[in-house]
Amino acid sequence: MNIPVDGPDVNVFEAVGGRPFFDALSARFYAAVETDPVLRPLYPDDLTDSITNTAGFLAQYWGGGTAQYSDQRGHPRLRARHGHVPIGLAQRDAWLGHMLDAVGAADLAPELEARFVDYFTMATTHLVNASE
Ligand code: HEM
């Protein structure tokens, strides 16, 4: 799926085909979390809600509107929602590594993939809340 996209005002949500893209991305990411010794212990036993809520948040962030997440979950408040999760550099690197693999598997146009890589690099660093 090679989608030619350029220009900052492209609605990425529409350009990638809407919610199914984010459901697939989140499912690929959490399939890696399932067997990751650094990340798995941080998550609830059942990953179902994390998979749905992460897909919804990303779909909303990239232009899908509040029906994707905030209408059900309220304001994202990502740092507050991760307040009980110790996120040091090891957790950040593990999360970012799996998400960039999941993005890489989506076969996006290079300029679109670069926007996801920049976003996740920024967002994961922003959520670091523990020294180690
Ligand atoms: C930096 C490393 C990160 C770690 C270790 C991490 C860990 C977690 C954990 C353990 C949960 C489940 C919390 C619970 O239900 O008790 C969670 C939920 C979530 N995370 Fe992260 N996360 C990270 C980065 C991110 C980033 C960068 C984003 C968004 C770009 C994100 C979005 C979410 C969302 C949307 C939820 C569900 C919130 C809800 O309940 O509505 N996380 N994360």
Side-chain angles (χ1 to χ4, degrees):
M1 177 173 53
N2 207 356
I3 303 166
V5 291
D6 45 28
D9 53 2
V10 166
N11 180 306
V12 172
F13 176 82
E14 285 161 10
V16 299
R19 182 60 186 257
F21 171 86
F22 296 96
D23 288 331
L25 179 69
S26 185
R28 276 196 301 277
F29 169 74
Y30 280 101
V33 167
E34 191 62 71
T35 56
D36 184 293
V38 171
L39 295 175
R40 188 63 187 92
L42 302 174
Y43 287 87
D45 291 346
D46 181 354
L47 290 175
T48 306
D49 290 348
S50 300
I51 295 170
T52 303
N53 292 332
T54 301
F57 167 77
L58 295 173
Q60 175 174 310
Y61 178 83
W62 289 103
T66 59
Q68 303 296 326
Y69 181 82
S70 288
D71 290 357
Q72 298 86 41
R73 305 287 298 162
H75 190 285
R77 299 178 298 113
L78 278 189
R79 264 192 80 87
R81 283 181 200 273
H82 289 82
H84 65 294
V85 183
I87 302 178
L89 294 182
Q91 291 75 22
R92 192 279 311 260
D93 292 351
W95 197 104
L96 184 58
H98 292 311
M99 185 53 84
L100 295 190
D101 288 346
V103 168
D107 190 27
L108 293 167
E111 61 271 17
L112 191 52
E113 181 167 329
R115 290 180 68 174
F116 278 91
V117 171
D118 289 350
Y119 169 69
F120 285 121
T121 303
M122 176 277 297
T124 49
T125 302
H126 175 67
L127 288 176
V128 171
N129 60 17
S131 51
E132 228 18 277

